[in-house]
Amino acid sequence: MNLYRSHNCGELNLNHINKDVYISGWVNKKRDHGGLLFIDLRDEYGITQCVVNSDNSKFKILESLKLESVIKISGKVIRRSDDTINKSLPTGEIEVLSRNIEILSESEQIPFQVAVDDDSPEDLRLKYRYLDLRREKNHKNIILRSKIINSIRQKMINRGFLEIQTPILTASSPEGARDFLVPSRLHKGKFYALPQAPQIFKQLLMIANFDKYFQIAPCFRDEDARADRSPGEFYQLDFEMAFVEQNDIFQTIEPVLFEIFSENSKCSVSKPPFKIIKYKDSISLYGTDKPDLRNPLIINDATKSFIKSGFKIFEENIEKGFVVKAIKTPGSSSKPRGWFDKLNNWARNEGQKGLGYIIFENNEFKGPIANNLKEENLRTLKDLLDLENGDSIFFICDEENNASKFASIARTKLCNELGLLEKNIFKFCWIVDFPMFELDPQTKKIDFSHNPFSMPQGGMDSLVNKDPLEILAWQFDIVCNGVELSSGAIRNHKLDIMIKAFEIAGYSKDDLRDRFGSLSEAFKFGAPPHGGSAPGIDRILMLIAEEENLREVVAFPMNQQAEDLMMRSPNFVSSNSLDELGIDLKPEKKKKLT
RNA sequence: GGGGGUGUAGUUCAGUUGGUUAGAACGCCUGCCUGUCACGCAGGAGGCCGCGAGUUCGAGUCUCGUCACUCCCGCCA
């Protein structure tokens, strides 16, 4: 017998009629009729209406009791009369006729309403996160998170993966992001770093003959936040497999993602095998390496149709080396002139040169650009884009990189304007064949474009014989509805290839040893070919919960300034603590303290 | 580090070309009410209009600065 409840607040129904029960929970709402008081009692499982008559000894106290107080009510389950049934509650056919009532914990006035989902300011919600998390939607998101993480574990374990923990206090690594540093007391002046990802550890686990590893891994990066990027910490489904090629990884993780999404959402989900798109093709078709495939529009290169076309502005720009990107929008020719002009203005407001257009209707080309174009150019355009009556085409003429970037934004804008985005579906794709190296536009130096752990396609032969900028890596991203869920790769497990790759990127053997000493040392003692990936848990949740912001799927998130308003972190520490660590603050920082 | 947006009651918001005592809804308090479930009715309290300068006879409103939150760029192998 539990002291506090015989049943929870979500389970009582007609089967319990006339039973004596006792339930505990929060006072969600009260409706006071003077001679009779309704209390909606809430716990995690649901809401049960309790009736208190005015002859009850606690009646007066309950009338003045604040919402969100925690009480225990015992009484009899009774059937509601037909006209008082509440169909929106699972417990709506019954109510508890209250006898004894015990106040377990009285609440003060709450800073925002819990029972009503108002848009209270986020900093207030974060400061009182435990109240915020009582609200139905937020509560459900955290329950969903728990369910999904559990389900991921089961699915990975069932596929033969071992869950292995890796250190949180580790060494600063020379990876891309800023490290969080933790000062060492025993070694004054030295610092631990929190892992940006368990990258090196998981590769070392492969070398240690753990065939399939995974972990729901916390990752720490000291970078600025975005709506889809938590400041400080986030979680990845980190996994790695030995003796595999790229396709083995795809085949392993695709069903996991498919099942996670389809089991937890009403939307339909791409069935494995997922579409595979080469990086280069993604850039030319979508202008981005994380395309949203729910958007049916694609980008074409129409530069050729504008060479010596009679349309002066584009002609001259092409001679400067610019390109022309074209987006065909079916069924848009009937839009009024103002719609096209509005889009052109939008482009200019985005800091672009403009968004030209041609309308194709009744086998005729219309619009200001069409009037300037020669007949044969219009014909090549028609063939290139496979134009049909009712289509219109939008043009962006700019230097390649910018044209591509803006075409991507315009593609999204046009899709939204025309309401073309496919609804209630998760569309996955792999982006593969990323370039191994890229040219830093500032320094004109060659550097790793994604990550230095990836195996170059063609191995040593490519590194020796190919133009570095032509070399592709066994590197892949998984993208869902325009969100990059993860990066992965077949890793470079051969020391000589790694030395050569680093040399191309301008790093010496010593640099390699300094930066990745543990790994390059381990490669000397027999390393299996291996690869893996690390889908972001928070982003998966965001997609499934259909939230625009990561904070909505994290129990205790920090704000954009990387502060925890509830715990008041980060914060100053005592001078004793600093002394113990051998740390002295700079004078100007000290000043701010006082 | 840079750019945009927001800031008025506990909360969500309105507030006209600068012009009486700054409003509404929800919440809160008091009273009434035995069938509500967004309970109802009557009354009431609650405001450094983010903060600080400035312009003006007069500033919630205009200008400048500053702070907070948020979104974006940079950054995120």
Side-chain angles (χ1 to χ4, degrees):
Chain A
M1 286 284 275
N2 179 289
L3 176 60
Y4 299 108
R5 56 188 176 195
S6 60
H7 299 78
N8 67 47
C9 293
E11 66 178 320
L12 293 174
N13 57 40
L14 292 177
N15 298 327
H16 303 88
I17 295 295
N18 285 328
K19 280 205 171 134
D20 284 318
V21 299
Y22 50 106
I23 56 180
S24 293
W26 285 263
V27 177
N28 192 57
K29 278 247 165 153
K30 288 190 300 183
R31 290 173 295 281
D32 188 352
H33 289 245
L36 159 94
L37 175 64
F38 294 103
I39 292 179
D40 291 340
L41 201 64
R42 182 195 72 234
D43 66 12
E44 180 161 78
Y45 309 99
I47 290 177
T48 300
Q49 173 167 284
C50 305
V51 193
V52 188
N53 280 314
S54 54
D55 54 12
N56 192 298
S57 63
K58 294 281 173 56
F59 187 82
K60 275 285 163 212
I61 296 170
L62 286 173
E63 271 191 311
S64 62
L65 185 69
K66 296 250 190 298
L67 297 181
E68 295 305 314
S69 296
V70 178
I71 61 176
K72 173 184 169 186
I73 290 181
S74 51
K76 193 185 282 280
V77 180
I78 54 174
R79 181 193 294 268
R80 295 202 201 181
S81 64
D82 288 350
D83 56 327
T84 60
I85 286 172
N86 184 348
K87 287 196 178 114
S88 60
L89 283 181
T91 60
E93 289 185 282
I94 59 94
E95 61 195 1
V96 172
L97 183 58
S98 310
R99 201 166 39 239
N100 290 325
I101 293 148
E102 191 182 335
I103 294 166
L104 301 175
S105 172
E106 203 170 336
S107 174
E108 286 184 13
Q109 180 57 41
I110 43 180
F112 51 80
Q113 296 181 69
V114 170
V116 179
D117 198 359
D118 60 358
D119 277 330
S120 33
E122 207 174 7
D123 43 348
L124 198 66
R125 290 176 46 203
L126 291 179
K127 185 175 172 194
Y128 300 98
R129 185 62 168 170
Y130 41 88
L131 293 181
D132 195 32
L133 289 175
R134 287 181 194 168
R135 307 218 265 198
E136 193 180 3
K137 183 181 73 95
N138 303 328
H139 203 85
K140 279 191 173 153
N141 280 350
I142 303 305
I143 292 174
L144 177 71
R145 186 180 180 107
S146 169
K147 259 182 74 182
I148 286 180
I149 286 178
N150 177 49
S151 166
I152 288 174
R153 279 214 166 87
Q154 290 307 319
K155 289 177 200 307
M156 296 305 281
I157 289 166
N158 289 344
R159 283 167 174 79
F161 283 80
L162 298 175
E163 183 172 13
I164 302 175
Q165 260 119 29
T166 53
I168 301 297
L169 288 176
T170 180
S172 172
S173 71
E175 290 155 356
R178 230 170 271 124
D179 283 315
F180 279 102
L181 298 176
V182 179
S184 161
R185 177 182 56 85
L186 294 175
H187 305 274
K188 292 187 177 43
K190 291 187 174 177
F191 293 82
Y192 302 94
L194 306 183
Q196 296 182 22
Q199 179 70 34
I200 291 175
F201 288 113
K202 74 171 169 179
Q203 292 193 243
L204 293 173
L205 286 170
M206 293 296 105
I207 294 169
N209 184 29
F210 292 101
D211 196 62
K212 295 185 181 71
Y213 142 90
F214 88 102
Q215 182 182 188
I216 309 293
C219 303
F220 305 90
R221 294 178 194 175
D222 187 5
E223 295 295 348
D224 289 346
R226 290 286 183 279
D228 64 349
R229 208 167 79 200
S230 303
E233 54 186 85
F234 59 95
Y235 283 80
Q236 291 184 335
L237 163 56
D238 193 46
F239 71 95
E240 197 78 3
M241 306 159 74
F243 303 108
V244 291
E245 294 182 284
Q246 181 168 285
N247 203 37
D248 300 311
I249 297 172
F250 289 8
Q251 283 174 9
T252 304
I253 207 65
E254 277 175 353
V256 174
L257 289 170
F258 172 78
E259 288 168 23
I260 291 294
F261 275 76
S262 45
E263 284 165 12
N264 293 288
S265 165
K266 291 191 179 93
C267 298
S268 58
V269 184
S270 310
K271 287 192 180 59
F274 297 160
K275 191 171 183 174
I276 295 175
I277 304 170
K278 290 184 162 73
Y279 170 81
K280 219 176 144 188
D281 294 341
S282 180
I283 296 294
S284 72
L285 286 171
Y286 309 108
T288 172
D289 60 1
K290 36 184 180 183
D292 189 342
L293 298 183
R294 292 172 303 168
N295 178 348
L297 302 176
I298 54 163
I299 301 164
N300 281 279
D301 192 300
T303 312
K304 277 184 188 158
S305 298
F306 284 91
I307 296 171
K308 298 200 177 125
S309 60
F311 185 52
K312 278 270 153 40
I313 309 171
F314 281 20
E315 265 186 39
E316 286 168 10
N317 281 337
I318 291 168
E319 275 168 35
K320 276 197 286 183
F322 284 17
V323 296
V324 179
K325 301 282 183 189
I327 302 173
K328 180 177 84 170
T329 56
S332 56
S333 70
S334 56
K335 291 277 179 190
R337 172 73 189 259
W339 185 75
F340 292 92
D341 291 341
K342 201 181 73 192
L343 284 164
N344 190 41
N345 287 334
W346 163 79
R348 286 165 179 273
N349 282 336
E350 293 280 302
Q352 302 298 324
K353 293 172 180 67
L355 193 60
Y357 63 91
I358 288 178
I359 296 164
F360 186 65
E361 211 172 31
N362 304 323
N363 294 314
E364 279 178 44
F365 294 89
K366 292 177 186 167
I369 293 183
N371 296 339
N372 285 296
L373 279 187
K374 290 179 191 157
E375 187 60 37
E376 58 173 290
N377 295 84
L378 288 168
R379 220 175 313 118
T380 61
L381 209 51
K382 181 168 183 288
D383 292 344
L384 176 74
L385 298 172
D386 208 7
L387 286 185
E388 289 181 27
N389 281 314
D391 293 348
S392 57
I393 322 150
F394 289 86
F395 298 100
I396 293 147
C397 180
D398 207 328
E399 164 275 321
E400 172 74 50
N401 257 337
N402 200 44
S404 199
K405 261 186 207 158
F406 182 57
S408 167
I409 296 169
R411 174 177 172 264
T412 305
K413 174 78 175 173
L414 290 168
C415 176
N416 291 340
E417 283 284 327
L418 293 164
L420 297 174
L421 197 74
E422 233 182 297
K423 289 192 179 68
N424 304 319
I425 188 165
F426 289 110
K427 285 198 151 178
F428 281 93
C429 64
W430 295 101
I431 308 297
V432 302
D433 295 350
F434 279 83
M436 182 81 191
F437 301 101
E438 67 185 5
L439 213 52
D440 187 316
Q442 309 256 296
T443 60
K444 302 286 174 205
K445 270 180 157 170
I446 288 176
D447 204 350
F448 293 109
S449 73
H450 232 82
N451 95 42
F453 305 105
S454 306
M455 180 67 98
Q457 294 187 20
M460 185 61 105
D461 184 49
S462 295
L463 294 182
V464 174
N465 296 314
K466 274 189 160 175
D467 173 359
L469 295 176
E470 297 290 312
I471 301 171
L472 301 176
W474 289 115
Q475 166 92 39
F476 49 83
D477 281 2
I478 186 151
V479 174
C480 177
N481 291 4
V483 175
E484 182 190 318
L485 284 185
S486 77
S487 265
I490 294 295
R491 320 294 175 187
N492 187 345
H493 67 286
K494 298 188 108 171
L495 193 54
D496 56 335
I497 299 180
M498 192 169 253
I499 291 169
K500 182 69 186 165
F502 271 72
E503 186 193 310
I504 291 172
Y507 302 103
S508 68
K509 256 190 199 177
D510 288 345
D511 292 333
L512 174 60
R513 202 190 49 227
D514 290 347
R515 295 174 58 156
F516 304 110
S518 55
L519 198 58
S520 59
E521 176 81 1
F523 281 161
K524 293 177 187 166
F525 303 108
H530 61 283
S533 186
I537 302 271
D538 309 87
R539 284 192 181 166
I540 288 174
L541 275 152
M542 232 175 119
L543 284 169
I544 292 176
E546 296 179 50
E547 291 288 357
E548 295 292 319
N549 196 300
L550 255 167
R551 289 186 289 270
E552 304 297 330
V553 296
V554 176
F556 297 104
M558 296 200 278
N559 69 5
Q560 198 180 37
Q561 275 67 246
E563 296 164 307
D564 183 332
L565 298 173
M566 189 178 61
M567 299 298 288
R568 279 182 256 164
S569 144
N571 213 330
F572 301 112
V573 296
S574 69
S575 53
N576 278 351
S577 304
L578 290 176
D579 275 351
E580 218 170 25
L581 297 165
I583 289 177
D584 205 3
L585 295 180
K586 282 189 172 178
E588 65 265 27
K589 303 288 175 198
K590 260 187 195 165
K591 229 184 236 172
K592 273 190 183 169
L593 251 164
T594 52

